[in-house]
């Protein structure tokens, strides 16, 4: 099945009038994780555009360091996915601790960029937009349309870029629940 990017959601649905937000219940980590994953799937086009906007601003002022940071993070992510596919221990870690796996990728990227000298660009151009996306995905309540779209993704009728990314981080079993 072909990968299809979902439509960009309206600003009204994304952050304005009809958008509903609530602090997640931190005592129920599974429900909070499901909210994040489902919002990542539903608003992925909006998140991508937001991420590109911040990258564009940072890239305008620091193009070389942004390129360096993006290259390091991409290589770290690809190395982690390769290791998870070839090492059972890393695969279990990825599946059981997805947040820690993402933090490990970002921490290793931060370490290499410290050595290479692009830390500020990494923090503001890569880590900050990811933080904003995760905050929005955490506090945005799901709508009926959101739940329906996520169900189509989870049963395999639709394949999206975020679905593939979550799958590579070991989160495919939770998408759509």
């Amino acid at each position: 099945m072909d990968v299809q990017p979902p439509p960009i959601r309206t600003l009204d649905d994304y952050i304005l009038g009809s958008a509903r937000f609530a602090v997640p219940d931190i005592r129920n980590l599974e429900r909070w994780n499901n909210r994040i994953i489902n919002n990542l799937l539903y608003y992925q086009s909006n998140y991508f555009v937001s991420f590109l906007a911040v990258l564009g601003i940072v890239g305008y002022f620091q193009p070389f360091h942004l390129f360096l940071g993006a290259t390091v993070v991409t290589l770290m992510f690809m190395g982690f996915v390769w290791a998870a596919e070839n090492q059972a221990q890393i695969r279990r870690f990825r599946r059981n601790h997805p947040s820690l796996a993402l933090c490990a990728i970002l921490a290793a990227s931060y370490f290499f960029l410290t050595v290479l000298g692009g830390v500020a660009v990494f923090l503001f151009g890569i880590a900050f937009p990811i933080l904003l996306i995760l905050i929005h995905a955490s506090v945005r309540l799901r709508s009926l349309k959101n739940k329906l779209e996520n169900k189509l993704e989870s049963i395999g009728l639709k394949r999206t870029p975020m679905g593939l990314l979550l799958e590579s981080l070991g989160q495919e079993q939770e998408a759509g629940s």
Side-chain angles (χ1 to χ4, degrees), residues 1-7 9 41-42 44 145 148-161 163-164 167:
M1 178 157 289
D2 291 334
V3 176
Q4 304 170 343
R9 309 300 173 186
L41 288 168
Y42 186 71
Q44 65 187 284
K145 187 176 179 184
L148 179 63
E149 288 286 327
N150 292 145
K151 199 51 83 176
L152 291 173
E153 169 87 16
S154 70
I155 60 176
L157 296 178
K158 289 178 79 177
R159 299 294 296 160
T160 62
L164 295 175
E167 196 173 297

Side-chain angles (χ1 to χ4, degrees), residues 73-141:
V73 172
T74 301
L75 291 174
M76 288 292 154
F77 181 76
M78 289 171 46
F80 179 77
V81 170
W82 176 84
E85 295 301 319
N86 294 303
Q87 299 289 324
Q89 288 177 312
I90 296 173
R91 188 176 318 119
R92 276 192 303 278
F93 176 77
R94 176 187 72 178
R95 197 170 296 285
N96 295 334
H97 307 288
S99 299
L100 287 176
L102 179 61
C103 287
I105 292 167
L106 293 176
S109 299
Y110 178 82
F111 171 74
F112 280 105
L113 287 170
T114 300
V115 172
L116 298 173
V119 173
V121 172
F122 169 77
L123 290 176
F124 290 106
I126 297 170
F128 185 66
I130 290 173
L131 176 66
L132 292 178
I133 288 167
L134 291 176
I135 289 171
H136 182 273
S138 290
V139 299
R140 178 66 170 91
L141 296 174

Side-chain angles (χ1 to χ4, degrees), residues 37 41 94-95 153-154 159 163-177:
I37 289 172
L41 288 168
R94 176 187 72 178
R95 197 170 296 285
E153 169 87 16
S154 70
R159 299 294 296 160
L164 295 175
L165 177 65
L166 290 171
E167 196 173 297
S168 69
L169 287 171
Q171 291 301 294
E172 68 277 355
Q173 78 280 1
E174 300 188 29
S177 54

Side-chain angles (χ1 to χ4, degrees), residues 14 44-58 66 70 73 122 124-131 133:
Y14 184 52
Q44 65 187 284
S45 294
N46 296 69
Y47 293 147
F48 184 69
V49 169
S50 301
F51 190 80
L52 287 180
V54 174
L55 279 179
I57 292 167
V58 173
L66 180 66
V73 172
F122 169 77
F124 290 106
I126 297 170
F128 185 66
I130 290 173
L131 176 66
I133 288 167

